[in-house]
Amino acid sequence: MMNTFPPSDYMQTESAVSGIVVYKPKPPEDHDAVLDFQCPNCTATTAYSTDDGGLTCASCGYHEVPEAERVGTDAEQFEFTVEALAQAVHGWGEERKELVCNNCASHTTLPVSSLTHSCPFCGSNQVVQMKAVQDVLRPRFIIPFATTTDQCRHITSEWLGDSWMLPNELSKLGRSTEYMPIYVPFWTFDARAKADWTAEVAYRRKALNGKYYTAWKRTKGKVRLFFDDVQEIGCQQVDSDLVKQIQPYDLDALVNYKPDFLAGIQAQAYDVPLDTAWDRARHRMRLRTKKECKRKITRRHRNFRMDLDFQEESWRYGLLPLYIAVYYYGKKRYQVLINGQTGEIAGQRPVDMRKVANWIGTLVIPALLLGLLALITVALDVPQGVEGVARALFSAVVIYLVFTAVYTFTLLQKANKLRSGQGVK
Amino acid sequence: MSDNWLTDWDNPHDILDCDNCDATYLHPKHQTDMVCPLCGETSFTEVALNEDAVLNIQPEYLVSFRQSKEALQTQLATFRRSLRLPPKDCTVENLTARAMPFYWPMWLVDNDVTARWQAEVGFDYDAVTYQEQYVEGEWRSRQNRERRVRWEQRLGVLTRHYADHPAPALDEHWAILRLMGKYDLGSKRPFNPQHVSDQLIRLPVRTTADAWPDVEPRLLKSATIECQAAASAQHIRHFKWSPQFANANWTQLLLPMTVTYYLDDTGKKRMVYLQGQTGKLVGQRRASMQRAFQFSRRAIVAAGLLGLITAVLWLVQSFTTVELSNVVDLLLTPIFLIMLVAFIPPIGVAYLNNSHFALENHEIKSSLHQSAKAYWEEND
């Protein structure tokens, strides 16, 4: 038994039996509801800079690198308790949160999903320590920014100039675009999948009369898979298709949550509840498992059936670094997302349709002229040898035009994907 | 009661020591035909009352007899039947007439306990897990719930009074309980000397100091259960405590038992015990070898007579022309069978007596060697 009793990290708790005092470990200390970040030298507001990876004072140049334990993929995971699932659905409970600035005492209201705030009156940076219904539903882990805004500009410039279909002046926009760093919520899921499948597999058999027929033979098999850290974004405001393009994040860089990383940077709490995110992740897992089962059936098959048991399911909640940039081309607004860790980029890009039309025209018009020439030659009374050449040329032009049509279609599809940001470079 | 419960009776009692097994009894003087319930000895030595602290600790509760006389007779009749060839002395009448109710003691101890404790307590919770099925191009999901246990550290201080914790007052305490079965201690009632003034009472052998090591684990168990309840937990493990005991108060609890006996062929007393509450019977089973031999003798005589008749018939056939060979052949078979049957009872009795002896020896030895911990683990 210990010497100091009770130890300092224990607190008294309710006892159901008189004469017995019960102590339990103290829960992790509750942080202040709102944290203000002030420079210890000059009391000016400090902010986390993604460029130098620390809290920086713009006034006196004070710089401090927040120390947080790197936990990586060993970061704690939680079970799917009935309690956690039910409470995650309720989210943060309130519609908006009223904040009183610790610096200038001004009142502002904040959407409940925002974890950070900059006072519009005095500019002080505040990090809101939301009281989640369950401690596990607070952000526990974070991947700090590893890409600077300069790198973002460079990446964007390259990305905006990497296709001939894009307007020529577009790559210059990358330099002038503002990049907003933001932490978005994410869920990760682990599960062990135990699948048993059955199917009727086709076998070619030779009948007595010498003809071949298909015999269907019932076959069964097993597939065991472990899904490790399947990532699901927990925020509805960010285009999930774009986010998928900039994933995955390297979870080895996970550190324990520290509010310092959020100072002056926007951060969102989850608004995709745990069960919804888990449904999505599970759907991906089961599709992957099904694919794996079907991969084992090398022949034609029918009546495929699979029983899938998920075991050791666990989840984790944290914040991912992301840059959001918006640029205008013409009168249209285009959104760009950059993975704040890997620098992977995704977004919508304008397509210079004149360039595309010129290119298609360059391909089609000479062929059309040649085709026309061939037609005229055939129509005129020309020697038989010349007519044969003209006919052959005409046939070649027709084939060429068919290929050009297919190419044009592909080109237009690509242009459309570029415009909608579907991940085509 | 006055200061000394051993002497303060309406009718005179004396304290007797069995000359054979040294068991000590509080005996109502008017009972003259007393046998030692433990060994069947009839010779006792009166012990002078001294200042023996152990004997002076008076009973606080007793558990009453529940068995009626009819039930007792039925039990004894069943026992007798189970012997197949019981000794002559083993009759229901004898067994009933010799039935002697008596009480045997158990310590009860009250204690104030102060302790620091620590343990891991477990809380049940439900986790959700999924089963999926892909049939005919469609997914079907089923949500299952699994009960799991979350373990958390707890520590604390315990200041409790534990009353009436049982402890053995006899060396053979665990053996008796093992053989006779548990008593329902919930039905105990306050000790009143008038209710037992005519009954033999076995007196404690073990001192309170000897009995204490058996109490401590029970207190630990009670404390573990209470600390689990205090933490509102469903499970507890790795319980440790540093107890300090105070204000120990020792009293006796008297438990009912009936003893009777029968004499085997050699005239040795064979004891039969009945648990006073449940009526469970435990006794030494000895069939009568004398009766077995008697049966054999009769069978051999019968076979001999038949053999004689057969011999006469054979002679008649040999010296006359009368054809008697069929009758002779017919008589030879029963002679052979009777001779065979004649050996069965002695062999059977020898086998039964030996196997019962071995079984009793094993049961008694294993019961005597059984530790208190093992007993409680089996019976809790």
Side-chain angles (χ1 to χ4, degrees):
Chain A
M1 304 290 280
M2 59 284 300
N3 292 329
T4 8
F5 194 88
S8 55
D9 52 345
Y10 276 70
M11 57 183 271
Q12 191 170 342
T13 184
E14 200 179 325
S15 169
V17 177
S18 66
I20 298 181
V21 183
V22 184
Y23 298 97
K24 68 175 184 181
K26 280 183 187 166
E29 273 182 34
D30 267 351
H31 300 286
D32 296 336
V34 178
L35 286 180
D36 258 329
F37 288 88
Q38 289 188 330
C39 175
N41 289 342
C42 64
T43 69
T45 298
T46 54
Y48 184 84
S49 165
T50 57
D51 290 341
D52 55 24
L55 278 172
T56 307
C57 173
S59 201
C60 69
Y62 171 80
H63 179 72
E64 180 194 344
V65 178
E67 282 178 18
E69 192 193 349
R70 185 173 171 143
V71 284
T73 47
D74 292 333
E76 191 183 358
Q77 299 186 78
F78 303 94
E79 291 173 287
F80 284 92
T81 62
V82 175
E83 206 181 4
L85 278 172
Q87 290 176 342
V89 171
H90 297 140
W92 306 96
E94 305 160 40
E95 290 270 310
R96 291 182 78 80
K97 193 172 184 73
E98 182 159 348
L99 285 187
V100 181
C101 178
N102 289 342
N103 198 31
C104 66
S106 62
H107 285 246
T108 43
T109 59
L110 194 65
V112 77
S113 57
S114 293
L115 293 173
T116 54
H117 172 67
S118 287
C119 176
F121 302 101
C122 68
S124 66
N125 291 323
Q126 295 162 342
V127 173
V128 184
Q129 306 276 76
M130 290 286 189
K131 268 221 179 265
V133 275
Q134 273 208 318
D135 194 50
V136 290
L137 292 170
R138 292 161 72 139
R140 290 291 201 92
F141 312 102
I142 191 167
I143 295 179
F145 277 91
T147 309
T148 63
T149 44
D150 268 350
Q151 285 171 325
C152 285
R153 284 194 186 96
H154 180 70
I155 291 164
T156 315
S157 291
E158 278 195 350
W159 178 70
L160 287 175
D162 71 352
S163 173
W164 63 268
M165 283 189 272
L166 303 174
N168 291 334
E169 62 276 25
L170 201 61
S171 59
K172 292 171 196 161
L173 288 175
R175 297 275 165 207
S176 56
T177 305
E178 283 300 313
Y179 296 89
M180 186 179 70
I182 182 171
Y183 280 107
V184 290
F186 77 103
W187 305 96
T188 69
F189 300 99
D190 280 10
R192 201 172 285 285
K194 193 180 141 194
D196 295 316
W197 59 266
T198 56
E200 286 176 36
V201 178
Y203 287 89
R204 204 155 173 252
R205 296 267 190 272
K206 197 173 183 181
L208 289 173
N209 59 10
K211 286 184 179 174
Y212 285 95
Y213 68 98
T214 303
W216 294 97
K217 194 178 163 191
R218 193 149 198 86
T219 314
K220 61 181 181 177
K222 288 176 182 180
V223 163
R224 304 286 181 262
L225 288 177
F226 181 70
F227 293 97
D228 192 19
D229 292 324
V230 175
Q231 298 170 21
E232 274 295 330
I233 207 81
C235 179
Q236 286 174 340
Q237 278 78 38
V238 187
D239 187 331
S240 59
D241 286 335
L242 291 184
V243 172
K244 272 177 199 156
Q245 288 175 49
I246 61 166
Q247 276 178 324
Y249 281 85
D250 178 12
L251 298 182
D252 282 333
L254 272 180
V255 298
N256 279 329
Y257 171 83
K258 203 168 182 196
D260 299 27
F261 288 110
L262 272 61
I265 294 177
Q266 280 207 34
Q268 294 287 310
Y270 73 83
D271 56 10
V272 176
L274 176 60
D275 59 343
T276 311
W278 174 224
D279 281 348
R280 289 176 189 166
R282 217 172 60 247
H283 182 64
R284 281 162 59 192
M285 290 177 186
R286 64 191 191 185
L287 288 181
R288 165 79 206 287
T289 313
K290 186 182 144 202
K291 196 174 163 189
E292 202 60 33
C293 290
K294 288 208 164 191
R295 205 173 59 80
K296 296 207 165 187
I297 313 170
T298 47
R299 292 164 180 270
R300 193 156 61 94
H301 62 274
R302 67 182 187 189
N303 293 333
F304 175 81
R305 184 194 161 113
M306 182 178 86
D307 288 312
L308 173 59
D309 221 346
F310 283 110
Q311 294 170 344
E312 299 168 34
E313 302 109 312
S314 61
W315 59 273
R316 185 194 286 139
Y317 170 52
L319 296 173
L320 292 177
L322 184 75
Y323 285 100
I324 298 180
V326 171
Y327 66 91
Y328 288 87
Y329 183 76
K331 288 179 182 174
K332 271 190 90 178
R333 180 179 172 276
Y334 295 90
Q335 193 186 44
V336 176
L337 299 185
I338 300 174
N339 183 319
Q341 185 191 30
T342 62
E344 197 63 40
I345 187 167
Q348 300 136 358
R349 285 177 282 184
V351 173
D352 190 342
M353 288 313 287
R354 272 185 308 181
K355 271 183 167 181
V356 176
N358 286 344
W359 176 238
I360 293 169
T362 312
L363 290 174
V364 172
I365 290 167
L368 282 176
L369 289 174
L370 271 176
L372 195 65
L373 184 67
L375 266 180
I376 293 165
T377 312
V378 172
L380 293 174
D381 192 15
V382 289
Q384 208 169 12
V386 178
E387 192 188 329
V389 171
R391 281 183 189 278
L393 182 65
F394 183 74
S395 304
V397 166
V398 169
I399 292 166
Y400 175 77
L401 283 175
V402 169
F403 277 110
T404 308
V406 172
Y407 177 66
T408 306
F409 179 72
T410 319
L411 213 60
L412 291 174
Q413 251 189 340
K414 198 174 169 183
N416 191 41
K417 280 185 179 177
L418 281 172
R419 273 197 293 201
S420 59
Q422 286 176 28
V424 176
K425 285 187 180 174
Chain B
M1 295 292 291
S2 71
D3 287 346
N4 196 326
W5 75 286
L6 295 169
T7 52
D8 190 24
W9 295 85
D10 292 340
N11 53 341
H13 279 60
D14 46 14
I15 300 170
L16 300 177
D17 251 5
C18 172
D19 288 347
N20 182 40
C21 66
D22 277 344
T24 313
Y25 299 94
L26 185 64
H27 171 248
K29 266 190 173 165
H30 66 270
Q31 282 186 1
T32 51
D33 52 348
M34 179 189 162
V35 292
C36 174
L38 200 60
C39 63
E41 180 62 49
T42 50
S43 167
F44 295 91
T45 306
E46 191 168 344
V47 179
L49 183 65
N50 56 23
E51 296 304 312
D52 191 331
V54 173
L55 299 185
N56 284 333
I57 295 172
Q58 75 166 65
E60 186 184 4
Y61 296 103
L62 66 78
V63 174
S64 303
F65 281 93
R66 266 195 207 153
Q67 281 251 299
S68 66
K69 198 173 177 183
E70 290 72 30
L72 179 76
Q73 278 180 330
T74 313
Q75 287 277 79
L76 292 171
T78 311
F79 171 74
R80 187 185 175 278
R81 275 198 301 278
S82 73
L83 297 182
R84 308 286 177 200
L85 281 173
K88 272 184 191 161
D89 183 68
C90 185
T91 61
V92 177
E93 292 72 29
N94 280 349
L95 289 168
T96 312
R98 292 167 188 163
M100 180 176 68
F102 76 102
Y103 286 95
W104 64 281
M106 180 191 256
W107 290 124
L108 289 180
V109 59
D110 304 341
N111 239 301
D112 287 335
V113 183
T114 311
R116 284 180 186 176
W117 61 272
Q118 68 177 70
E120 275 180 36
V121 292
F123 299 93
D124 284 341
Y125 67 93
D126 283 335
V128 174
T129 182
Y130 286 86
Q131 279 181 319
E132 311 272 346
Q133 207 175 42
Y134 181 79
V135 186
E136 291 166 3
E138 278 184 16
W139 288 101
R140 290 171 201 164
S141 264
R142 201 176 72 192
Q143 197 188 70
N144 297 323
R145 285 191 181 195
E146 263 179 29
R147 181 58 56 93
R148 294 179 189 168
V149 180
R150 185 181 64 250
W151 292 99
E152 291 180 12
Q153 277 289 338
R154 290 287 184 275
L155 41 94
V157 178
L158 176 145
T159 316
R160 297 279 292 164
H161 175 76
Y162 290 104
D164 298 335
H165 260 270
L170 302 177
D171 290 330
E172 60 272 25
H173 177 94
W174 306 115
I176 296 172
L177 284 184
R178 175 123 193 229
L179 292 171
M180 308 299 292
K182 273 208 299 186
Y183 285 85
D184 171 21
L185 299 187
S187 65
K188 67 181 188 287
R189 57 183 183 146
F191 173 75
N192 183 342
Q194 285 172 353
H195 293 151
V196 291
S197 59
D198 292 334
Q199 316 279 13
L200 187 70
I201 298 172
R202 176 93 193 266
L203 295 176
V205 175
R206 298 181 90 204
T207 63
T208 53
D210 286 344
W212 177 248
D214 288 313
V215 179
E216 220 175 326
R218 300 294 300 159
L219 288 173
L220 172 72
K221 177 131 191 172
S222 299
T224 309
I225 293 166
E226 287 189 350
C227 288
Q228 178 191 325
S232 303
Q234 289 81 45
H235 313 271
I236 192 163
R237 68 183 183 189
H238 307 321
F239 183 86
K240 287 184 205 162
W241 71 340
S242 51
Q244 286 181 321
F245 303 102
N247 304 326
N249 176 36
W250 292 80
T251 55
Q252 280 187 58
L253 166 70
L254 300 179
L255 299 166
M257 203 190 298
T258 301
V259 62
T260 183
Y261 64 91
Y262 63 91
L263 302 175
D264 65 11
D265 289 344
T266 61
K268 191 177 174 186
K269 288 192 181 81
R270 297 292 174 184
M271 310 307 288
V272 178
Y273 302 94
L274 287 102
Q275 215 248 41
Q277 209 176 26
T278 61
K280 185 183 175 188
L281 186 146
V282 175
Q284 297 173 324
R285 287 175 161 81
R286 292 290 180 276
S288 170
M289 190 59 90
Q290 279 179 2
R291 288 183 65 188
F293 278 131
Q294 196 179 27
F295 178 87
S296 298
R297 274 197 301 272
R298 284 176 186 164
I300 291 165
V301 168
L305 284 173
L306 278 176
L308 198 64
I309 293 165
T310 312
V312 170
L313 290 175
W314 183 75
L315 283 172
V316 170
Q317 182 194 259
S318 303
F319 294 106
T320 63
T321 57
V322 181
E323 182 53 49
L324 292 169
S325 62
N326 285 343
V327 181
V328 170
D329 288 349
L330 201 69
L331 283 170
L332 280 174
T333 310
I335 290 167
F336 178 72
L337 287 175
I338 290 168
M339 287 298 285
L340 268 184
V341 169
F343 290 101
I344 292 173
I347 293 169
V349 166
Y351 173 76
L352 282 174
N353 285 351
N354 273 338
S355 58
H356 280 143
F357 178 74
L359 185 70
E360 285 156 14
N361 261 354
H362 171 74
E363 276 186 355
I364 290 163
K365 275 181 188 163
S366 62
S367 302
L368 283 171
H369 286 106
Q370 191 192 34
S371 68
K373 193 177 167 220
Y375 174 81
W376 289 116
E377 274 171 5
E378 255 180 44
N379 290 282
D380 270 350

